[in-house]
Amino acid sequence: MTTSTDLTQAPSLPGSHEGYMPGFGNDFETEALPGALPQGMNSPQKCNYGLYGEQLSGTAFTDVRPERTWCYRIRPSVKHSHRYEKIDVPYWKSAPHILPEVTSLGQYRWDPVPHSDAPLTWITGMRTMTTAGDVHTQTGMASHVYLVTESMVDSYFFSADSELLVVPQEGRLRFCTELGVIDLEPKEVALLPRGLVYSVEVLEGPCRGFVCENYGQKFELPHRGPIGANCMANPRDFKAPVAAFEDRETPSTVTIKWCGQFHQTHIGHSPLDVVAWHGNYAPYKFDLRNYCPVGAVLFDHPDPSIFTVLTAPSGQPGTANIDFVLFRERWMVAENTFRPPWYHKNIMSELMGNIYGQYDAKPKGFVPGGVSLHNMMLPHGPDKNAFEKASNANLGPDKLDRTMSFMFETRFPQQLTEFAGKEAPLQEDYIDCWIDIEKKFDGTPGPK
């Protein structure tokens, strides 16, 4: 893949931030060449520079607020697509993916998936851990760990199945997309829309991280309710890229994920040829350090939903297709309260990943790069040491520091893949972390 010097970038725009435009769901407009973007209309009879006008739609035309982007490109997308042939991408799986020989019922935890000496790109380095729902009916999700050591060279990808939420844990990546360039590093996330063509370069490797593949309704900011207009993830902190394009005549490969299968086509040029665009269907990056958590300031630990960064609705009120929840540094100030997450079981299936530091309910064993899964209606909570420490702690103000973990949770049961069940470094003894919890009941009133 090309470097940034091969991409023609837009000049600094008023309100742009290091090549990005702020605002989740905004109507953006950006051009890499002056006058490339039509004004006052979308589809002129002839576009400037001999460009083609084309619309990319992310929602139905009749949606309450349709999400679409008008692109002005060197070639229409039909020139970036030719005859397709199926290819095998063995470690990237889609739902439904239920294996009778793999038991998904359980509380599981894995060490970080180790790097290998094999050269791995964004496509070949994807390792699916769980799937949920059905990619064909566009419900549910999949969770992945990615291992990337090599850039995609004259190779491009897009998913017709899903949007991808990318959570780096190690290394730095560059996503060269049709709509511009996003550089990504740990403590940031990227949101790549369904249907968007891009190539992935390694800026600093090896790279490892997590991906939530959303088959269902698009991610959106959660409804804040009584929280009101401020805190949590603010729209202005989401950054969309400015226009950038490639005009290269070179044999290239485009891979598409469609209905859970992978297909490949060969073309004679780069498909990243959008010179200008405007609309509200775009990729974003978000710095997780800008997430402002809200918590209890008197008593009781709040539900984890209060830490939601993004949510993908399910169509069933009260149960999300996916919630992306962040557990980051914050002050703990509640009095007379057991401060870590309490013991619980619920309708949502919870897959967690550790970006860095220690998670307060599992101070040992859940290491950076690690993954845990607590499937729907299976009980879980603090181990004995965390329980005893929290039950006897001095409840003055306490800073939970140097930590960042997240959760992909869904209303659907998450099914383990063969990789997760047989190849990934499963901690076989994780279920035993609760085995030494003691019976404290003695039949007399008062706390013990």
Side-chain angles (χ1 to χ4, degrees), residues 405-416:
S405 299
F406 68 88
M407 184 162 63
F408 302 148
E409 66 172 10
T410 176
R411 60 173 294 231
F412 301 102
Q414 298 193 43
Q415 304 287 340
L416 268 61

Side-chain angles (χ1 to χ4, degrees), residues 268-285:
H269 49 268
S270 168
L272 306 184
D273 62 357
V274 176
V275 179
W277 62 270
H278 77 88
N280 59 357
Y281 189 63
Y284 297 98
K285 67 180 294 184

Side-chain angles (χ1 to χ4, degrees), residues 122-401:
W122 178 252
I123 299 173
T124 61
M126 202 67 70
R127 301 289 184 264
T128 306
M129 298 295 291
T130 66
T131 67
D134 189 338
V135 69
H136 303 283
T137 58
Q138 298 186 1
T139 57
M141 57 161 282
S143 67
H144 315 277
V145 171
Y146 68 80
L147 304 171
V148 180
T149 60
E150 290 195 348
S151 298
M152 297 169 64
V153 179
D154 298 324
S155 175
Y156 306 87
F157 173 77
F158 75 96
S159 173
D161 289 343
S162 54
E163 65 176 336
L164 300 182
L165 176 64
V166 184
V167 186
Q169 187 266 322
E170 190 174 72
R172 297 172 57 238
L173 292 172
R174 169 168 291 159
F175 293 85
C176 300
T177 83
E178 292 180 281
L179 302 185
V181 178
I182 289 178
D183 289 348
L184 199 65
E185 63 186 26
K187 305 179 190 178
E188 298 177 328
V189 297
L191 195 58
L192 305 172
R194 186 193 305 255
L196 183 77
V197 178
Y198 58 90
S199 186
V200 182
E201 300 176 2
V202 174
L203 297 180
E204 181 182 328
C207 300
R208 180 173 56 209
F210 314 91
V211 172
C212 182
E213 185 176 5
N214 175 21
Y215 306 143
Q217 295 184 55
K218 291 179 72 280
F219 276 112
E220 60 185 40
L221 294 177
H223 296 172
R224 297 170 184 256
I227 294 171
N230 302 297
C231 297
M232 303 177 74
N234 290 308
R236 69 187 294 262
D237 293 321
F238 287 82
K239 311 295 183 183
V242 297
F245 70 93
E246 293 180 339
D247 184 13
R248 295 192 305 114
E249 308 287 329
T250 184
S252 301
T253 299
V254 179
T255 301
I256 175 174
K257 183 177 185 289
W258 190 86
C259 290
Q261 297 181 329
F262 291 83
H263 300 74
Q264 206 169 72
T265 190
H266 301 280
I267 57 177
H269 49 268
S270 168
L272 306 184
D273 62 357
V274 176
V275 179
W277 62 270
H278 77 88
N280 59 357
Y281 189 63
Y284 297 98
K285 67 180 294 184
F286 175 72
D287 191 328
L288 296 172
R289 289 161 292 194
N290 289 331
Y291 183 83
C292 182
V294 181
V297 294
L298 189 59
F299 62 88
D300 281 353
H301 183 97
D303 294 318
S305 53
I306 205 167
F307 301 130
T308 300
V309 183
L310 292 165
T311 185
S314 71
Q316 180 176 329
T319 56
N321 185 68
I322 307 168
D323 283 331
F324 172 53
V325 181
L326 181 69
F327 305 102
R328 63 157 301 183
E329 300 91 345
R330 60 194 184 275
W331 280 96
M332 313 282 274
V333 297
E335 59 190 42
N336 191 29
T337 291
F338 185 79
R339 290 182 176 178
W342 12 254
Y343 298 102
H344 64 286
K345 59 180 178 179
N346 60 27
I347 193 66
M348 304 294 277
S349 298
E350 304 173 3
L351 183 134
M352 288 192 62
N354 188 345
I355 299 172
Y356 66 86
Q358 291 184 344
Y359 180 58
D360 59 338
K362 297 287 194 303
K364 293 183 179 180
F366 188 39
V367 299
V371 176
S372 69
L373 174 66
H374 302 118
N375 246 321
M376 57 182 298
M377 288 304 175
L378 288 182
H380 52 286
D383 58 25
K384 179 186 177 180
N385 290 338
F387 177 84
E388 294 295 342
K389 180 180 178 181
S391 299
N392 297 287
N394 179 357
L395 293 184
D398 182 46
K399 181 72 176 290
L400 186 62
D401 207 2

Side-chain angles (χ1 to χ4, degrees), residues 83-97:
R83 290 181 178 85
Y84 287 95
E85 58 181 358
K86 286 185 180 180
I87 62 170
D88 186 30
V89 181
Y91 284 101
W92 193 332
K93 304 297 183 183
S94 295
H97 185 75

